[in-house]
Each structure stands twice: as C-alpha cells, then as structure tokens.
Amino acid sequence: MRAFLSQSEALHLLARSPLVIAAALVALLAIAGAALAPLIAPSDPYDLASFSLVDGLRPPAFLEGGDTRFLLGTDDQGRDMVSAILYGARLSLVIGLGALAFAAILGIGLGLAAGWIGGRFDALVMRIADVQLALPAILTALLVDGIARGLLPSGARDEVRIPVLVAAIGLSLWVDFARTARASTLRAKNEDYVQAAIAMGVHPARILFVEILPNVLGPLVVIATVDLASAILLEATLSFLGVGLPADAPSLGTLIRIGMQFLLSGEWWILWLPTAFLVALVVAINVMGDFLREIFDPRLR
Amino acid sequence: MTRSRPFSARLARGGISAIALSLALSLALSLPLAGPAAAETFRWATTTDPQTMDPHAVNAAPVTSFLNNVYEGLVRRDAEMAIEPSLATSWAPLEGEDGWRFTLREGVTFHDGSAFTADDVLFSYERAASEESDVRSWFAPVTEVRVVDDRTIDFVTSAPNPLFPDSIANFLIMDRGWAEANDAARPARDAENFATRNTNGTGPFRLAARDPGIETRLAPFDGWWDEARHNVTEAIYTPIGNPATGLAALLSGEIDMISPIPLQDVAQVEGREGFRVLEGLETRVIMLGFGHDRETLKYGADAGAPNPFLDPRVRRAVALAIDVETIDRIIMRGKAEPASQLLPAGLSGYSEANDAPLGFDEAAARALLAEAGHPDGFSFGLMCTNDRYINDEAVCRAVASMLARVGIDAELTVMPVRNYWEELRADNFDMYLLGWSPGTFDAEHPIRFLAATPNEETRVGSWNFGGWSNTRVDELLPLVQQELDPAARQAMLDEIAAILQEEVAYVPLYVEPLIWAAKANIDLVQRPDNFFMLRWVRVN
C-alpha cells in the first residue's frame, strides 16, 4: 500500500535536483533565522525604546550614508531592517504554522469522521467543503477577521489578533486536508485489515488514527507543505491590507505595507528587502512541496 | 531578436512585449478620458472623503473645504485669505447695540432655482446653531438674529465682537424651503438625513453625483451670481487613501491634481516634466491632547490606575520626551515647522512672548516622571488617525517610541478618520493626536474650541475632547472676544498662551506642511488653510 520511495531512491532524486537543495537551504536558513531571531537579531524591533528615530531612513551599510550598526539599513522609524525582517518572519511563520495546525486538525478530523460515518454527516461535511472551496481564501479570512472585530470590544482586539488571524487563515485551508483524509478513509474502510480490526472490536477512533491515518500521511505532508506557503502568503496579504498585524508588531506583510510608502521615493530597502525575503521563503517552501509530492506520488516520477 | 538567443529567452521577451503591448493598448483606450477631447474635465483627489455633504454636521476641513465649492457664506476668503463679500455685499456694526448688520446680495438663486433671501440666512443660523450642529460654537457670541427685510439681517451679539464677520466665513447658507421639504431642517451628525448626500447651495458648483468614499461629481452652476474665473465643465473628486496610489494616479494622468502628496515623493514629482509641486505651510498645528477629565486611565496595561496625566509634570515630561526636530527631519523631510502654541507663528493673536517650544530633553523628562511618582513609567492608550494628517501614523509610532525611551509605554490604536471623531467624543483615549487649523486665522479660535471648558450652553470647547479646564482661561475668553484694543487683546492672548504652555494643556508638535501636486497645465490657488477652491481652477 505504501507508495514511499526507499531512502536511497529519495536521496538519489534529491542529488539530481540542485534547485531542491538550494530551496531546502534557503528555507532552512530563513526558518532558523526566524526561530533564533531573539538570539541573533541586532535589536528587538518590538521594544520601542531600543531604536530611535534619529537613525531613521539609513541605507544599507554597504551603500553611501550607511551605518555598520544597520547592515540592511533602517526604516522610517529608525528600526533595524535585519531585526525587523527576522522578527517579522518569525511572526509570519508562527501564524503560518498555527493556521496550518488549525487547518490540519480540523480538516483531518472532519475528513476521517466523514469517511467513517458516511451518510448524511458525510454529505453535510463535504457540501460545506464545497462551499468553502467556492470562497476565495482571502475572502474567508477577511470574513472571520471582520466578525471577530465586530464581536470583540475594541480594547480586547489586540491581544487576540494572532489567534484571530490563525483561525481566519486556518478556516480557509482545511478543505484539502478533509478531502484527502475522507477519500483514503473511504478506500480503507473496506480493506481486509480494517474489517479485521472492526471484527476484533477495536475502537473506531483507534482504527482511524492507527490503521487508516498512516496510509494517507504522505499526501497530507505534501498538502501541509504547500499550504504552509499559502498560509504565510495569506497572512502577508491580510497584514498588507491592514487587517492583520499592527505596525508596532510587524509581520512580513506589515513590513511590506509600511515599505509601500517608499516605493517611489528612493528608500528601496524598506520595501524590497522584506518582499525579497517573503518571496524567497514562499518559493523555497513550494519547491520543497513539489519535491515531496514527487517522492510520495510514483506516477510523477 | 538574434538567432543565438535560447528559446526561453525569446519566449520571455515575447511575453514581455505582449504585456507591454496590452499595457499600451489599455493606456490608449483610457487616454480619451484625460485627453484633449474633454479638456475642461478636472479630476482631483485627496486622502479623506468629505464624510457628509451637510455643511453644519461636521466641522472638519475635508468637509468644509469641499462644501465651500457648493455652498457659500455671507463672506468668503480670497486667495490671500482676506475677507471679501460673498452672499452679503456689505456689513457694518449695529447702532445702539452690539452686533453686525449684513446687507445681502440681490438676484442670488440656489441651485434648484429658488431665491436667496434673509430668511434663508435666519434658517441656516438656526440650523447651524442648533443642538445637533457641529459648528454651533461659531455662534457662541450671538444672542439674536433678526430679519430686517428680505435683503437685510442683523446678528446681535452679547458683547462687541470685531472679528465676527471673519469668524463666519465658513458658515454656509442653505435653502429653508429645500431643507424643510426634505426633512433636513436639522443636521444629522452621526446618522444620515437628506442633506447628508444632497445639496442645494448658491455656490459656483452643484453636486451632480455622490458616491460616498468612491467618487463625487460636481458640475458648474450656470446661475451663479459671480463671474466664473474657472473654465471647468465637470469636476470629479476621488478619495485615494493611500498616498502612493494617489501619486501613481497623478503621474499616470488619471487625475489632474492631488493633495497632499507624500513628502518623500516631492523630489520624484519635481523631477518630472509636466508636473509641479505646490509647497507651503498650512495653518494647522499638529498636537497631542490628554484626557484631563477622568480619574483613571482607560487603556494599556495600567487601565484603571489613577490618571497620571492629571499631573502637569507628567504632561511636561511627555512634551520634553518628544524630539520634534527629528520628527521633522526624518518623517516630515524637513518641511514642517516646530510649534509652540495651538496656532502657527504669524497668525493674528500669536503670542510672540511664548514663541519658544519646550524643547527636547530626555533626562529632564525622566526626572520629572520620577518626581511625579512614576520612576518606572506607566502604560496608557494613544489614539491616532492614519489618513487625516500627513504621515500621521508614522508620527504616532515615533511618538510612542520616544515615550518608550523615557519609560512610558504608549499602546497605539490607529484608525481611519471616519471612526476617529466618534471615538474621541466617546472619550475612548488617554492621549490623542489632533490637528487644528484656526478657521478665523486668529488665536481666539483654538482657545474657544480646544482650551475653553466644554459648555453646552455657551457652545464653547466643542473640540476639547480631553475636557481641559482652567478658570482663568474661561474668564479671559469672553474678554478676548469683546476687546477692541489690539494691545489689550494681545496681552490677554499672551496670558492664555502662557497658561497653556505652563500647564502643558496640549503638546504642540509642528505646523503641518502643505504639499500639493498638479499637472503643469492646471492653474490653481493654494490657500494656506488647505482649502481647495474649484472657482480658481483653469485647465489649459
């Protein structure tokens, strides 16, 4: 049943694709940089007292007028761009991974249950999924964000901004997980080993998670990788539109929104550096997702 | 294209030229809109849509400025800000009592054709001075308005009021018959009524179509009493919130004029042929206000704790912690002017004696905070707009960062101006950003609106959101309003300026620069109050 490649085959495939290796390196560096931001970043961009407007609008250190304290320059508030990007990426990744976990748990849970229970429940879940597919992800996210803004008192909004974003993005990504999990549950339900487990009186939850779920892990990992890139992009889009994170706790999208003001003014680093980082991160994750798909899907080889 | 090029490169080039072609095509298709075929169509943009078409509902520059094209006052300001006759041809002090008599212009009609009479002025006064009006404080000194005959009206004031005609340049006259027939006899400030989206004025332009937040079209009024200096046949206004988008719209020819353009892009526009930048200083002072009228803080980690801003030392520390010079240099690109009072230097009544700003001194700020019992600082909420003043959000973020350096943690809430005034009126702030441009170009104006204790009855202090209150200022204000001797008046204004500075009622930051950009073929007048008057626009 398993369609995985052997380890050596996978390594062989990897060795033939320098692009994938490069992508893995980029993603690894970006993720490590984001994860270790508090240790390696020159300053803390969330600590308002740690930077000063006096240093505002400095170009990167290697250009004329640059300052060695600010390798990639500063923004209009005097915030070090290196630190802002690393912390921004950290926030983007936290939200991306959180949204992914939200989508995976919701989607896999619903998919397994729908496939197992069948009947009306299955029909209901799948119709909801169809409706969800018809809605663009950005619209779902805006809707959730809008409802949360409406329901919450103005003082409470800031504390729940990240959970709201996670839920908003997660809700727009669960369908792929649910469909994949349901399809494999439907297929596996009639397999002998599952029938045997049923006959032995094993608890359905145990059958679902121990017998069926492992079979579908491969495709789910591929979906998760690609969706991580989507989640990061979606967060960036929401923050760019100004419904995401505020300017004093900037994610990559917020940094790009701030940088937009300097699109025509000559201070290119404020816009282009976070944008380049975001693009590199998302492309790298997508390339890895494609590679994983190749490994897990023998037909693509 | 050479043969040696790899196919992919050729493909890429082909793709690019296809894109270029389609771009050129779409440009060509959109050109007739801006081309010579409709040379007198004038399109302009600002960041803030006038939130209402009702001239008495909201006393904010985007509304008043826009509506001055549609409605008119008894008097108006010329390009140099001097008062000149408009719907009134002359005015003189009343004999035997305090007040002014206005003689009205003959033969003026409203856009719907009905005649303009003294009764419309009386009606507009009743409407503008009503409970529901946002401009009622203009009429604080007025005790009675009397229609003498169809062409004569008296405004009786409680005391001599030499500046009264100047103070009502933005008092726009509405037609009684039209307003009453459409159930709009009173302004609707937070709700809507007929006058929110429809107009019937006497001005050079009438409202042709109104799509709030999207587009507003004006057409010249053929029956205008004055000789038209403009040659505009249609004027289209679009609010563009993002200044970079607005600038792109100007440079691509989509619009003819924009106000303001981002300071960082001035050089970009100046360097291009066919465009020009109009630069000046607005009469608007950007300042920070405090919540003076509550015992506890409302926002931040210390919400519910005693309000530290009640202590003048804390307010002074805030002022000392803010480095206005650097805000000017980095965020305002050196185009602002540090301010020390609620109005810019040079305006009438400006206090030369109190010219010096408090200055920037972090150490002194920390010392004052410690002295006031906040050695470890505190946390509070700062409210800000992000689409009202030039770089307002960036300024607030810089202020928060500067305050953090002396240990006070400002939790910043940023919102578009359409929700802002309501939040301020509901007291939802501990500190807030405010810009003020004195409509009368005199020091009495900000005192009446911002420094007088809010009072429903006398209609003063209507924009004093923080409820700042000082008995001496309240005592002096009516005296200032009545004083005819310039030296005595200035002495009182000096005293008030000194009190406001000593008590740090507000923290004046800087005078806002005025930066417009237009196509080179457009003639227009940049008035220092940032009002944009279509009647001076010529499309060449």
Side-chain angles (χ1 to χ4, degrees):
Chain A
M1 182 75 199
R2 289 168 80 94
F4 292 0
L5 292 177
S6 72
Q7 210 174 2
S8 63
E9 273 175 306
L11 283 176
H12 182 66
L13 202 61
L14 187 63
R16 278 199 333 218
S17 347
L19 181 67
V20 177
I21 298 178
L25 268 177
V26 168
L28 196 72
L29 274 179
I31 292 170
L36 300 175
L39 299 177
I40 59 174
S43 67
D44 177 358
Y46 302 158
D47 177 7
L48 292 175
S50 74
F51 53 90
S52 164
L53 188 64
V54 176
D55 300 318
L57 299 178
R58 292 219 194 249
F62 48 85
L63 292 181
E64 198 187 322
D67 185 321
T68 47
R69 284 178 301 155
F70 311 109
L71 186 61
L72 296 180
T74 58
D75 69 2
D76 63 325
Q77 296 286 323
R79 192 167 18 209
D80 174 42
M81 286 307 292
V82 177
S83 315
I85 290 174
L86 290 180
Y87 272 87
R90 184 179 161 88
L91 211 48
S92 292
L93 274 169
V94 164
I95 292 172
L97 288 170
L100 191 65
F102 185 98
I105 291 170
L106 183 71
I108 294 174
L110 280 176
L112 289 177
W116 184 259
I117 299 169
R120 281 190 180 182
F121 180 73
D122 181 30
L124 180 71
V125 171
M126 286 303 113
R127 290 305 78 75
I128 294 176
D130 288 345
V131 171
Q132 178 77 69
L133 271 187
L135 289 173
I138 181 81
L139 202 62
T140 313
L142 279 173
L143 186 72
V144 173
D145 190 84
I147 292 173
R149 271 161 191 259
L151 290 180
L152 294 166
S154 63
R157 277 177 214 157
D158 281 347
E159 291 99 75
V160 296
R161 241 174 166 153
I162 290 182
V164 166
L165 266 181
V166 164
I169 299 168
L171 264 184
S172 57
L173 293 175
W174 64 275
V175 176
D176 282 348
F177 288 104
R179 293 190 146 194
T180 311
R182 171 181 174 269
S184 61
T185 311
L186 281 180
R187 227 182 300 118
K189 212 158 65 167
N190 299 319
E191 297 279 341
D192 288 346
Y193 66 96
V194 175
Q195 291 299 329
I198 297 174
M200 281 161 65
V202 179
H203 192 271
R206 197 182 147 78
I207 299 178
L208 281 175
F209 287 102
V210 178
E211 307 290 346
I212 296 177
L213 188 57
N215 290 317
V216 72
L217 266 186
L220 287 179
V221 167
V222 175
I223 293 174
T225 319
V226 175
D227 276 3
L228 175 61
S230 308
I232 292 173
L233 270 185
L234 207 52
E235 185 279 322
T237 312
L238 288 175
S239 291
F240 181 79
L241 293 175
V243 295
L245 293 165
D248 48 1
S251 67
L252 286 176
T254 317
L255 288 176
I256 295 170
R257 174 166 68 89
I258 297 168
M260 269 295 282
Q261 301 165 31
F262 304 96
L263 182 62
L264 300 172
S265 70
E267 285 99 6
W268 54 270
W269 57 93
I270 305 177
L271 173 63
W272 291 114
L273 295 179
T275 310
F277 194 96
L278 177 69
V279 170
L281 180 62
V282 170
V283 169
I285 293 176
N286 270 327
V287 168
M288 294 207 313
D290 280 351
F291 175 70
L292 289 176
R293 194 202 310 268
E294 263 187 68
I295 293 183
F296 288 126
D297 189 344
R299 278 167 303 180
L300 284 179
R301 244 174 284 142
Chain B
M1 216 178 286
T2 56
R3 274 182 187 281
S4 57
R5 247 174 229 287
F7 176 71
S8 61
R10 273 188 285 150
L11 189 71
R13 274 193 61 168
I16 287 166
S17 50
I19 292 168
L21 186 72
S22 60
L23 265 177
L25 253 173
S26 62
L27 267 179
L29 286 174
S30 66
L31 265 181
L33 291 175
E40 282 85 30
T41 294
F42 175 78
R43 295 160 191 271
W44 88 105
T46 69
T47 35
T48 315
D49 193 45
Q51 66 206 80
T52 172
M53 291 289 114
D54 188 326
H56 310 133
V58 177
N59 181 23
V63 175
T64 326
S65 163
F66 189 90
L67 289 179
N68 258 289
N69 292 306
V70 177
Y71 288 99
E72 287 173 306
L74 296 176
V75 301
R76 69 182 184 191
R77 289 183 188 277
D78 66 13
E80 277 75 45
M81 299 299 302
I83 292 289
E84 64 177 17
S86 180
L87 291 180
T89 48
S90 63
W91 49 94
L94 287 174
E95 280 165 33
E97 58 187 327
D98 294 324
W100 289 83
R101 166 164 295 183
F102 292 86
T103 308
L104 304 181
R105 194 176 292 277
E106 305 258 357
V108 174
T109 58
F110 286 96
H111 295 160
D112 71 350
S114 52
F116 161 71
T117 66
D119 184 50
D120 295 313
V121 180
L122 175 65
F123 167 74
S124 299
Y125 161 74
E126 286 165 353
R127 194 173 192 273
S130 69
E131 192 100 340
E132 298 88 345
S133 161
D134 195 32
V135 300
R136 55 201 302 251
S137 72
W138 293 345
F139 304 101
V142 175
T143 51
E144 195 193 348
V145 175
R146 276 192 311 254
V147 174
V148 180
D149 59 46
D150 256 10
R151 302 259 78 81
T152 317
I153 190 161
D154 289 350
F155 281 76
V156 183
T157 55
S158 52
N161 199 316
L163 278 175
F164 182 70
D166 290 49
S167 74
I168 55 164
N170 289 329
F171 163 46
L172 302 175
I173 305 300
M174 195 183 258
D175 180 20
R176 180 196 285 272
W178 174 83
E180 286 180 346
N182 291 303
D183 214 8
R186 288 290 175 268
R189 198 192 294 187
D190 296 325
E192 280 203 6
N193 66 18
F194 190 75
T196 311
R197 291 184 187 228
N198 300 277
T199 62
N200 187 28
T202 57
F205 287 84
R206 59 184 173 78
L207 195 63
R210 162 90 174 142
D211 197 351
I214 313 286
E215 186 183 85
T216 307
R217 282 170 187 260
L218 297 176
F221 173 42
D222 297 329
W224 192 37
W225 56 269
D226 200 1
E227 195 184 329
R229 263 183 59 189
H230 68 83
N231 66 347
V232 176
T233 52
E234 185 181 30
I236 303 172
Y237 167 79
T238 321
I240 301 180
N242 184 332
T245 314
L247 184 66
L250 177 75
L251 295 181
S252 68
E254 220 172 285
I255 52 174
D256 299 308
M257 179 264 177
I258 181 162
S259 148
I261 61 163
L263 296 170
Q264 61 267 24
D265 295 324
V266 168
Q268 173 77 218
V269 178
E270 276 173 341
R272 292 207 187 200
E273 205 161 310
F275 297 95
R276 64 195 178 112
V277 176
L278 296 99
E279 258 181 66
L281 275 178
E282 201 186 343
T283 49
R284 183 177 303 279
V285 170
I286 303 293
M287 62 187 93
L288 295 170
F290 302 97
H292 296 281
D293 55 358
R294 66 290 300 264
E295 293 303 312
T296 53
L297 287 174
K298 290 197 160 189
Y299 296 93
D302 291 334
N307 181 3
F309 297 123
L310 294 177
D311 187 334
R313 288 172 298 186
V314 175
R315 303 198 294 266
R316 179 171 292 261
V318 167
L320 287 169
I322 297 172
D323 181 358
V324 178
E325 300 276 345
T326 303
I327 290 182
D328 177 29
R329 181 170 64 84
I330 302 283
I331 299 179
M332 309 307 283
R333 310 268 165 162
K335 298 200 184 295
E337 197 67 49
S340 60
Q341 296 170 36
L342 305 187
L343 78 166
L347 259 56
S348 100
Y350 177 82
S351 174
E352 293 295 339
N354 299 287
D355 188 46
L358 259 186
F360 166 59
D361 188 341
E362 280 186 358
R366 272 196 216 94
L368 270 175
L369 282 173
E371 196 188 309
H374 303 281
D376 304 318
F378 55 87
S379 163
F380 70 99
L382 171 61
M383 283 281 276
C384 258
T385 50
N386 58 8
D387 61 353
R388 178 65 189 89
Y389 311 114
I390 294 174
N391 292 344
D392 41 8
E393 184 178 355
V395 168
C396 282
R397 282 163 55 210
V399 164
S401 156
M402 286 166 177
L403 292 180
R405 293 175 80 85
V406 298
I408 347 181
D409 166 30
E411 232 170 62
L412 187 57
T413 306
V414 179
M415 63 177 61
V417 71
R418 65 171 180 274
N419 309 329
Y420 192 64
W421 305 129
E422 277 168 49
E423 292 279 330
L424 291 193
R425 283 195 196 288
D427 274 353
N428 291 334
F429 62 85
D430 295 318
M431 196 199 272
Y432 62 96
L433 185 81
L434 178 72
W436 195 260
S437 174
T440 56
F441 286 74
D442 182 85
E444 179 267 345
H445 188 273
I447 296 168
R448 173 164 31 111
F449 277 94
L450 305 178
T453 308
N455 185 323
E456 275 297 306
E457 211 163 295
T458 58
R459 300 177 272 196
V460 297
S462 57
W463 283 65
N464 182 357
F465 299 114
W468 157 256
S469 177
N470 181 292
T471 40
R472 182 65 185 148
V473 172
D474 289 342
E475 231 170 76
L476 284 171
L477 177 62
L479 301 177
V480 167
Q481 288 170 337
Q482 299 162 22
E483 187 56 63
L484 296 169
D485 172 32
R489 184 171 192 271
Q490 189 59 50
M492 290 190 282
L493 289 173
D494 285 348
E495 187 182 344
I496 295 177
I499 293 173
L500 294 178
Q501 250 178 21
E502 181 57 34
E503 295 280 312
V504 200
Y506 291 87
V507 180
L509 297 176
Y510 55 85
V511 184
E512 177 150 282
L514 194 56
I515 315 267
W516 300 0
K519 285 186 187 162
N521 65 333
I522 307 285
D523 281 349
L524 49 80
V525 172
Q526 184 178 39
R527 229 168 60 176
D529 57 356
N530 203 11
F531 277 25
F532 175 61
M533 295 290 118
L534 283 167
R535 66 187 151 103
W536 289 314
V537 171
R538 286 196 70 84
V539 182
N540 298 318

